[in-house]
Amino acid sequence: MNGLRVAEAATARQTVVTQCQVLGVLNVTPDSFSDGGQHDAYDEAVARGLELVRQGADLVDVGGESTRPGAVRVDAAEEVRRVIPVIAALCDAGIRVSVDTMRASVAAKALDAGAELVNDVSGGLADPAMLPLIADTGASCVLMHWRAQSAVMDAFASYDAVVDDVRAELSKRVDAALSAGILTQQLVLDPGLGFAKTAEHNWALLGALPALRELGFPILIGASRKRFLADCVDYGGLDPDSPLDRDDASSAVAALAASAGVWGVRVHTVPPAAAAVRVAARIAAVGGR
């Protein structure tokens, strides 16, 4: 990423909200790794989205395709069937919504239904039409670090130096986005915890949040319930193999990420994360006094 683009990004970052945003996860799927099947019916999904906002979510991140390790993709028609009615209902209710999709066709329908942000875990690599769509619509977009589809991504978890490599590969995605006509202020970056990364890689990236922020863009962290957090679940009768028993560790990551100045955290359990980002904001507001 050249110096001019870094300078532009630093300016754009000043326009972003100062309090870390909480994205509440709404998986409208039967097979997501921690909550698949719980909200895959329309009424249940809409009710859950409303509940997430009552609990403190700033946005509801609606996804219709599991990206857990080993997941096989669904077709576009099925993804649309799952998410668009739910997104439309939530937007009609005044809820801020992001769509978690790698398909430009799904993103376009979601934006038409009122979504304000596209959360593309492939960083625009899975569908060549995604970056032009974001440029044309002016929507906000999360570009995540990604190397391969979920079914095979674990085979790509090899790095010379994970922080440097992720920074470099994210910078290439930024260059591609800007070349497509996307403005710097539309972009948020995500280091892609759990995607083609070992537990050690994930911890290294969390320890390098200042280095990631030096890229000049807002940062989204999605650590919630992921398997690398099992390293911290060995107390109180909790089961490290149960995603739900990783909620305490997930909330701890949210607190630390918010304190490090990230733009947002993507979480399954909203109340403790919402409390964490508000505490971090209060401490930041009185810092130095």
Side-chain angles (χ1 to χ4, degrees):
M1 190 164 53
N2 65 38
L4 177 59
R5 287 174 176 174
V6 170
E8 289 174 345
T11 300
R13 187 170 58 187
Q14 302 307 312
T15 68
V16 178
V17 291
T18 55
Q19 181 169 294
C20 178
Q21 300 287 280
V22 176
L23 279 68
V25 176
L26 179 55
N27 289 319
V28 191
T29 60
D31 57 344
S32 290
F33 79 99
S34 74
D35 59 356
Q38 293 184 13
H39 314 296
D40 58 340
Y42 170 82
D43 289 341
E44 293 168 353
V46 173
R48 177 59 176 165
L50 296 171
E51 180 183 32
L52 290 170
V53 173
R54 286 194 297 269
Q55 292 175 339
D58 298 294
L59 290 98
V60 176
D61 192 44
V62 182
E65 180 177 42
S66 176
T67 53
R68 76 188 191 284
V72 176
R73 300 202 70 184
V74 300
D75 63 35
E78 175 61 15
E79 190 179 357
V80 166
R81 185 196 69 79
R82 292 175 180 180
V83 303
I84 299 306
V86 174
I87 289 171
L90 293 176
C91 291
D92 285 347
I95 304 299
R96 297 175 61 208
V97 172
S98 57
V99 60
D100 179 358
T101 184
M102 294 184 281
R103 289 188 172 99
S105 60
V106 177
K109 293 180 184 299
L111 294 171
D112 286 344
E116 66 178 64
L117 182 148
V118 177
N119 183 10
D120 182 353
V121 301
S122 81
L125 286 167
D127 186 343
M130 182 64 86
L131 296 183
L133 171 74
I134 299 302
D136 289 344
T137 60
S140 296
C141 181
V142 177
L143 299 178
M144 196 191 80
H145 178 264
W146 184 88
R147 285 184 162 181
Q149 295 288 352
S150 297
V152 297
M153 66 181 177
D154 284 350
F156 291 80
S158 178
Y159 300 86
D160 292 327
V162 66
V163 175
D164 292 341
D165 291 352
V166 168
R167 277 172 49 101
E169 291 171 32
L170 280 174
S171 292
K172 290 180 180 178
R173 299 316 304 149
V174 169
D175 286 342
L178 299 180
S179 295
I182 297 172
L183 303 178
T184 54
Q185 58 263 36
Q186 292 173 247
L187 295 177
V188 175
L189 303 182
D190 181 340
L193 302 179
F195 288 79
K197 296 172 185 74
T198 66
E200 291 75 15
H201 295 148
N202 295 322
W203 289 118
L205 288 164
L206 283 174
L209 291 178
L212 294 174
R213 292 189 66 217
E214 286 174 2
L215 289 169
F217 289 85
I219 300 294
L220 173 67
I221 292 296
S224 183
R225 295 182 177 175
K226 290 185 175 176
R227 59 185 173 178
F228 78 96
L229 295 176
D231 292 352
C232 299
V233 180
D234 59 356
Y235 60 92
L238 298 179
D239 180 2
D241 292 328
S242 169
L244 274 66
D245 280 357
R246 301 171 196 157
D247 275 345
D248 289 348
S250 302
S251 298
V253 172
L256 293 170
S259 295
V262 305
W263 170 84
V265 290
R266 184 178 183 273
V267 299
H268 295 83
T269 303
V270 166
V277 302
R278 284 158 177 75
V279 168
R282 289 297 298 271
I283 292 173
V286 299
R289 285 198 236 167

